[in-house]
Amino acid sequence: MDSALAAEAAYRKARIQFLAEDYSAAAQRYGEVAAQFPSSQWGKEAEYQRGVALWRARRYDEAAAALEPFTALQQPRDTRENAIEDLTDIYRALGQRTKAVTLIDKTLAGRLTTGTRQALIFTKAKIRIDEDKCTSALALIRQLQRVRLQSVPGGTTREELEYLEALCLDRTGKTKEAKALWSKLAQNPTYYGQRAAQRVGEGGNSQPPKACSAAGEDLKTRARNRVAQRRRSLDDPPPSAADPVAELAFMGLWEEASLWLDGTRRPDPALAADLALLGGRYDRAIAQGSRL
């Protein structure tokens, strides 16, 4: 077999295990691809994806060691920015908040895409809340509220920012202002609306939402059925001008379809939410679902 085809085939096998959420096995297979095809593009991509798989497997120390080389300036911009976003979350999970903030501040001093810059500012705000430094967090939240938010994985929404703004106000003794914000949010039948309702005692449900319980698989089944209604039949020939999102969904490559849909203009939020859910991009599913 041609070496390029062999590299791609090996990478796709690792990808299948990743999509099946067998992250430790995927990490091992990605490592094998990187070792066997070190000079190919597939081998280099496998090396990066190994770090992502280790992170998903909650093997945080190993994930950090695997991803840190990808933060170097000579790396492609997209790879570097993704690695930095991943690493800040890993450091946060390890309790290494100072290390995370140092990396964020160093990165923010350089040139970045708008979406990555906003995601890093938001992550820094969450770290400051973790540290109970709510005055600092509030300044970062209000910085984000002054701009047009980009919809990106790991990013935030206006509603989430309002909820966290109220949380910071409450923790800094501005209880009246906090309750006013939470009362406003509680009017919305959304995730943060429910959380805000709990804060002000307006009938918020104290039980975990159904989607976050064991009923999550039922939620995925319903999403899969909705996407299936949009797919062409196996008996139908592929169209002459294929829609990449439709074809990826037809093959069951949910995450790839979701990522491709992100790059289209004005994606259908219902389809985007379903594909993100099926592809394991839960933050993206929440962001798109909140628009419905």
Side-chain angles (χ1 to χ4, degrees), residues 48-71:
Y48 173 76
Q49 292 298 335
R50 174 177 172 269
V52 176
L54 288 168
W55 174 36
R56 295 285 187 94
R58 300 188 180 184
R59 292 161 59 178
Y60 298 123
D61 287 309
E62 294 173 82
L67 290 174
E68 280 166 353
F70 290 95
T71 64

Side-chain angles (χ1 to χ4, degrees), residues 149-228:
L149 294 177
Q150 298 285 320
S151 182
V152 295
T156 184
T157 62
R158 294 284 176 193
E159 192 175 58
E160 185 177 15
L161 286 177
E162 284 190 354
Y163 179 86
L164 293 179
E165 179 187 8
L167 182 65
C168 291
L169 288 169
D170 187 56
R171 290 187 181 180
T172 53
K174 299 178 181 178
T175 309
K176 187 175 180 180
E177 293 176 56
K179 285 190 174 179
L181 265 178
W182 277 327
S183 295
K184 173 190 168 188
L185 279 173
Q187 306 306 310
N188 303 324
T190 58
Y191 173 72
Y192 284 103
Q194 290 185 52
R195 291 192 64 179
Q198 290 176 348
R199 290 283 182 175
V200 294
E202 293 184 4
N205 183 4
S206 61
Q207 298 299 317
K210 186 177 181 182
C212 299
S213 68
E217 282 306 310
D218 177 60
L219 189 70
K220 285 188 176 181
T221 298
R222 284 184 278 130
R224 198 175 290 113
N225 290 339
R226 285 192 295 270
V227 173

Side-chain angles (χ1 to χ4, degrees), residues 33-254:
V33 176
Q36 190 174 356
F37 306 98
S39 59
S40 74
Q41 187 59 42
W42 294 107
K44 293 173 184 175
E45 180 65 20
E47 193 173 358
Y48 173 76
Q49 292 298 335
R50 174 177 172 269
V52 176
L54 288 168
W55 174 36
R56 295 285 187 94
R58 300 188 180 184
R59 292 161 59 178
Y60 298 123
D61 287 309
E62 294 173 82
L67 290 174
E68 280 166 353
F70 290 95
T71 64
L73 288 173
Q74 62 266 32
Q75 292 288 340
R77 187 178 71 176
D78 287 350
T79 300
R80 179 174 178 267
E81 290 189 3
N82 288 337
I84 289 169
E85 287 189 51
D86 291 343
L87 271 173
T88 56
D89 286 331
I90 291 167
Y91 291 153
R92 190 177 171 215
L94 287 168
Q96 298 174 355
R97 296 168 183 161
T98 300
K99 198 170 183 178
V101 170
T102 299
L103 176 60
I104 289 171
D105 287 343
K106 179 182 176 182
T107 306
L108 289 175
R111 295 182 64 182
L112 290 170
T113 59
T114 300
T116 297
R117 182 173 295 280
Q118 291 176 0
L120 290 178
I121 292 172
F122 180 56
T123 298
K124 184 176 178 180
K126 289 188 290 185
I127 291 170
R128 292 310 189 204
I129 291 173
D130 292 342
E131 297 172 326
D132 204 24
K133 296 179 179 178
C134 290
T135 300
S136 174
L138 191 58
L140 294 166
I141 289 166
R142 286 177 170 166
Q143 180 181 342
L144 289 172
Q145 288 174 325
R146 290 193 293 269
V147 300
R148 183 176 178 273
L149 294 177
Q150 298 285 320
S151 182
V152 295
T156 184
T157 62
R158 294 284 176 193
E159 192 175 58
E160 185 177 15
L161 286 177
E162 284 190 354
Y163 179 86
L164 293 179
E165 179 187 8
L167 182 65
C168 291
L169 288 169
D170 187 56
R171 290 187 181 180
T172 53
K174 299 178 181 178
T175 309
K176 187 175 180 180
E177 293 176 56
K179 285 190 174 179
L181 265 178
W182 277 327
S183 295
K184 173 190 168 188
L185 279 173
Q187 306 306 310
N188 303 324
T190 58
Y191 173 72
Y192 284 103
Q194 290 185 52
R195 291 192 64 179
Q198 290 176 348
R199 290 283 182 175
V200 294
E202 293 184 4
N205 183 4
S206 61
Q207 298 299 317
K210 186 177 181 182
C212 299
S213 68
E217 282 306 310
D218 177 60
L219 189 70
K220 285 188 176 181
T221 298
R222 284 184 278 130
R224 198 175 290 113
N225 290 339
R226 285 192 295 270
V227 173
Q229 292 174 4
R230 297 171 180 252
R231 293 162 65 187
R232 62 180 174 84
S233 167
L234 282 169
D235 297 327
D236 294 335
S240 56
D243 173 7
V245 174
E247 292 305 299
L248 288 167
F250 175 77
M251 293 184 287
L253 298 174
W254 311 120

